[in-house]
Amino acid sequence: MAVKGLGKPDQVYDGSKIRVGIIHARWNSVIIDALVKGAIERMASLGVNEKNIIVETVPGSYELPWGTKRFVDRQAKLGEPLDVVIPIGVLIKGSTMHFEYISDSTTHALMNLQEKVDMPVIFGLLTCMTEEQALARAGIDASHSMHNHGEDWGAAAVEMAVKFGK
Ligand SMILES: O=Nc1c(NC[C@H](O)[C@H](O)[C@H](O)CO)[nH]c(=O)[nH]c1=O
């Protein structure tokens, strides 16, 4: 019996009135592209208009917290405020402690960012020990052993924006 993973949503949320920002790192771009695609497709299936999905990029995951804050500010200034933002990054363990420090600091910064931007910040950071783990969580490993986690992040974004929006 599978026990891990996201449970069924309590209801289907209508995303037709929300604007979503996706800001993604450019490291490990093959995996990033699959995650972003999964998030967009799931949000479109929940009624989010593709013109209301704004995509921005930063060099790497470490830049996600600051980039997200400035992205939210910029959209507000443009008169196109976001209702929710999904930072997406893929960290893969190398031979140094770089992975641990970026994973930990970026995770805490993204969690704390929610208060500063007063909106949901969905946690789209994959922290993987191997490339194979990352490919599996983007749904693009050879055996398609897992679903694309980007889809979960898109669904979470719609639910949080609709349920707890301002
Ligand atoms: O090192 N590995 C990774 C990485 N390093 C770059 C870092 O995020 C930042 O862009 C630079 O340090 C410059 O500030 N960024 C990732 O998204 N994934 C990795 O796996």
Side-chain angles (χ1 to χ4, degrees):
M1 174 181 68
V3 292
K4 258 174 75 65
L6 180 61
K8 291 253 174 296
D10 45 4
Q11 68 179 71
V12 177
Y13 293 94
D14 170 15
S16 60
K17 296 183 179 58
I18 65 170
R19 182 180 292 113
V20 183
I22 293 177
I23 180 167
H24 68 78
R26 296 191 300 273
W27 268 68
N28 305 312
S29 58
V30 168
I31 300 163
I32 289 280
D33 291 350
L35 292 166
V36 170
K37 183 169 178 286
I40 291 172
E41 287 175 352
R42 175 60 66 87
M43 291 192 287
S45 76
L46 292 170
V48 180
N49 189 318
E50 298 231 10
K51 72 174 173 51
N52 288 333
I53 301 175
I54 297 146
V55 180
E56 186 51 276
T57 76
V58 290
S61 296
Y62 180 83
E63 281 76 37
L64 283 171
W66 178 248
T68 300
K69 173 71 172 70
R70 303 301 280 167
F71 180 32
V72 168
D73 294 347
R74 184 189 73 191
Q75 286 302 125
K77 224 174 271 171
L78 286 173
E80 298 172 354
L82 301 177
D83 297 293
V84 57
V85 63
I86 315 174
I88 294 178
V90 175
L91 285 159
I92 299 174
K93 173 75 180 152
S95 53
T96 68
M97 290 288 287
H98 201 207
F99 166 86
E100 284 81 353
Y101 289 116
I102 299 178
S103 299
D104 190 51
S105 57
T106 300
T107 300
H108 288 290
L110 291 176
M111 169 63 78
N112 297 332
L113 192 54
Q114 297 184 101
E115 297 301 322
K116 294 180 190 151
V117 297
D118 191 25
M119 76 176 67
V121 176
I122 302 304
F123 185 62
L125 190 66
L126 284 189
T127 53
C128 298
M129 300 312 288
T130 65
E131 193 174 288
E132 186 56 31
Q133 280 184 355
L135 289 164
R137 283 151 186 77
I140 53 175
D141 60 322
S143 59
H144 288 281
S145 56
M146 299 178 92
H147 73 281
N148 181 339
H149 284 35
E151 295 170 8
D152 295 340
W153 304 339
V158 173
E159 177 176 348
M160 293 301 286
V162 171
K163 203 185 256 184
F164 301 114
K166 286 171 255 184

